[in-house]
């Protein structure tokens, strides 16, 4: 079974530039999560999708971050414009059922460096 | 705010010894999960325990849950070098995470 795919693996941008990350969850998984993990900290949930609807985006900085999950499959996370404090690993995860009832499967993440 | 908090923040033991780490959480849960993160394999799910369970085993892992104290513990027996990683607990629906316990296994 293929895992969660993320791209790119690494990205370096200057502050105020824009960047987009892509995630392809495991086939058939209804729930998709985007997390931000700053070095030395645990993952912080940014947004949770159930199929193509948003379940929770309370911690998403909506003035600069946006995310979509078209057709309930792939998802993109965008930052515009980026700030230095956005430097982190962005993790995508999926799970078969919603509402945290089962384990989540994680991609390898995208390491973003904002300079 | 973080829902789960792991304790200790760091733990260094000899290979073959047992390692115990704890997790405390703030609100009611319906399940608690433990994950491991290392540079090679990213974040990997270890074990899930439901709120109506008190103890669960998986190989060398033993997890306990005390809902009255809002706490869980993860025991790794007969530790190996490959167990060197950060360990996180995550609760419930939004999988809200603590900062993790960094475990180092010394050869």
């Amino acid at each position: 079974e293929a895992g969660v795919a993320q791209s790119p693996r690494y990205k370096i941008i200057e502050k105020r530039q824009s960047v987009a990350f892509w995630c392809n969850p495991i086939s058939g998984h209804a729930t998709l999560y985007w997390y931000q993990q700053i070095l030395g900290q645990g993952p912080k949930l940014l947004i949770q999708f159930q199929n193509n609807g948003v379940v929770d985006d309370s911690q998403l900085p909506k003035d600069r971050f946006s995310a979509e999950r078209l057709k309930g499959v792939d998802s993109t996370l965008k930052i515009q414009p980026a700030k230095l404090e956005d430097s982190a690993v962005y993790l995508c995860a999926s799970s078969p059922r919603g509402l945290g009832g089962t384990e989540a499967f994680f991609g390898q993440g995208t390491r973003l460096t904002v300079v | 705010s973080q829902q789960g908090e792991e304790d200790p923040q760091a733990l260094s033991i000899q290979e073959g010894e047992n390692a115990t780490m704890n997790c405390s959480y703030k609100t009611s849960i319906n399940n608690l999960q433990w994950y491991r993160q290392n540079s090679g394999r990213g974040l990997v799910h270890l074990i899930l325990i439901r709120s109506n369970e008190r103890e669960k085993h998986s190989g060398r892992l033993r997890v306990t849950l005390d809902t009255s104290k809002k706490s869980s513990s993860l025991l790794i027996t007969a530790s190996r070098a490959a167990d060197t990683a950060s360990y996180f607990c995550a609760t419930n629906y939004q999988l809200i995470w603590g900062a993790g316990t960094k475990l180092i296994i010394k050869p």
Side-chain angles (χ1 to χ4, degrees):
Chain A
E1 177 182 79
V4 176
Q6 289 188 247
S7 67
R9 287 294 309 277
Y10 305 92
K11 189 75 177 178
I12 300 175
I13 62 172
E14 295 182 348
K15 59 183 178 183
R16 291 187 289 275
Q17 285 188 323
S18 302
V19 65
F21 313 127
W22 174 81
C23 173
N24 185 14
I26 293 173
S27 177
H29 281 193
T31 306
L32 185 147
Y33 310 85
W34 281 104
Y35 290 87
Q36 178 194 60
Q37 187 175 23
I38 293 172
L39 187 64
Q41 299 182 17
K44 171 188 168 185
L45 179 70
L46 293 176
I47 189 167
Q48 177 185 351
F49 292 95
Q50 182 72 11
N51 296 308
N52 61 348
V54 175
V55 173
D56 186 343
D57 63 356
S58 58
Q59 299 192 94
L60 186 72
K62 297 181 185 63
D63 58 334
R64 297 185 301 106
F65 286 65
S66 64
E68 61 182 6
R69 189 183 185 196
L70 298 177
K71 301 180 181 179
V73 183
D74 293 8
S75 178
T76 56
L77 176 70
K78 297 179 181 178
I79 307 175
Q80 180 179 10
K83 294 185 176 181
L84 296 176
E85 59 261 36
D86 297 331
S87 293
V89 176
Y90 290 85
L91 297 164
C92 178
S94 68
S95 65
R97 295 194 297 272
L99 304 183
T102 59
E103 66 182 280
F105 296 82
F106 282 81
Q108 292 285 15
T110 296
R111 183 178 298 276
L112 173 67
T113 303
V114 182
V115 298
Chain B
S1 64
Q2 298 290 0
Q3 165 74 315
E5 293 185 4
E6 295 86 355
D7 168 63
Q9 291 186 335
L11 180 61
S12 180
I13 61 173
Q14 293 293 136
E15 192 169 16
E17 293 181 337
N18 296 342
T20 300
M21 56 204 84
N22 305 297
C23 167
S24 60
Y25 56 91
K26 298 176 182 176
T27 63
S28 61
I29 62 171
N30 74 337
N31 73 65
L32 185 143
Q33 303 180 32
W34 284 91
Y35 287 79
R36 179 180 64 211
Q37 185 176 39
N38 59 35
S39 57
R41 293 196 59 195
L43 262 165
V44 175
H45 179 265
L46 295 176
I47 195 164
L48 180 153
I49 186 166
R50 302 196 183 280
S51 60
N52 61 353
E53 298 176 307
R54 291 297 168 258
E55 186 171 315
K56 200 164 184 179
H57 296 254
S58 177
R60 293 184 297 113
L61 305 179
R62 173 178 168 256
V63 169
T64 62
L65 178 64
D66 186 336
T67 53
S68 66
K69 295 181 180 178
K70 292 187 169 58
S71 67
S72 174
S73 67
L74 171 67
L75 168 67
I76 303 173
T77 60
S79 62
R80 305 168 182 170
D83 295 328
T84 293
S86 291
Y87 291 80
F88 297 91
C89 66
T91 61
N92 243 38
Y93 302 106
Q94 284 81 30
L95 299 182
I96 299 173
W97 304 63
T101 291
K102 187 172 183 178
L103 176 64
I104 297 172
I105 308 299
K106 297 179 288 186

